[in-house]
């Protein structure tokens, strides 16, 4: 059965899952089959026995993992960030065009706008790398936060 982790207490190592059938099932860390402890909001696949979730596996993300999207965005910010490539990749077309135009036309103004765009791209590269995968996805993919 599929469901979502409603809560998980890492101290007691117990939690609660909402199944797709509308029922709630208890979760014990002993039944968790993921690499790291479950977190609220994790999509899971599990079996039920005596009202408890057993053999609980985290569901694989359908659109590629947040970590791979984060890594690609960070690399684009580092190597092609002055052209706004990382913005286009994350779906921020308007912001990507702004970065591209400011960089290209910045040379007319002695390169100062181009330098500022390069600094912004480098800052975003660092921010993308230091954010945990789930926080990156929550902020930049789901939350659509275009600028740092």
């Amino acid at each position: 059965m599929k469901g979502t982790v409603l809560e998980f207490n890492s101290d007691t190592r117990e939690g609660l899952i909402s199944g797709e059938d509308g029922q709630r099932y208890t979760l014990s860390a002993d039944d968790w089959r993921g690499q790291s402890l479950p977190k609220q909001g994790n999509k899971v696949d599990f079996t039920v026995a005596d009202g408890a979730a057993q053999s609980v596996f985290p569901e694989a993300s359908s659109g590629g993992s947040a970590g791979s999207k984060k890594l690609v965005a960070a690399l684009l910010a580092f190597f092609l960030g002055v052209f706004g490539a990382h913005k286009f990749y994350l779906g921020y077309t308007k912001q990507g065009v702004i970065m591209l135009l400011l960089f290209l036309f910045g040379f007319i103004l002695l390169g100062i706008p181009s330098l500022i765009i390069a600094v912004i791209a480098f800052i975003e590269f660092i921010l993308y790398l230091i954010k945990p995968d789930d926080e990156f996805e929550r902020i930049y993919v789901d939350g659509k936060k275009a600028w740092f």
Side-chain angles (χ1 to χ4, degrees), residues 15-129:
L16 199 58
I17 294 177
S18 174
E20 64 184 3
D21 62 354
Q23 300 294 318
R24 293 182 177 199
Y25 302 96
T26 57
L27 165 65
S28 169
D30 296 335
D31 293 312
W32 180 250
R33 302 295 183 248
Q35 292 180 349
S36 59
L37 289 175
K39 296 179 185 169
Q40 181 179 355
N42 283 134
K43 300 292 183 192
V44 294
D45 194 3
F46 62 100
T47 58
V48 178
D50 299 325
Q54 294 185 341
S55 298
V56 183
F57 291 91
E59 264 188 16
S61 164
S62 60
S65 71
S68 65
K69 191 164 196 143
K70 179 180 94 166
L71 181 61
V72 171
L75 291 173
L76 286 171
F78 185 76
F79 290 108
L80 300 170
V82 293
F83 301 113
H86 61 295
K87 297 294 187 187
F88 291 113
Y89 177 72
L90 292 172
Y92 305 126
T93 306
K94 181 172 72 172
Q95 292 81 3
V97 169
I98 290 169
M99 288 184 82
L100 178 63
L101 292 177
L102 278 175
F103 178 75
L104 293 176
F105 293 118
F107 289 109
I108 296 170
L109 299 171
L110 304 174
I112 294 170
S114 300
L115 181 63
I116 292 170
I117 290 300
V119 169
I120 289 172
F122 186 72
I123 290 170
E124 289 183 327
F125 161 72
I126 298 296
L127 288 174
Y128 292 171
L129 283 182

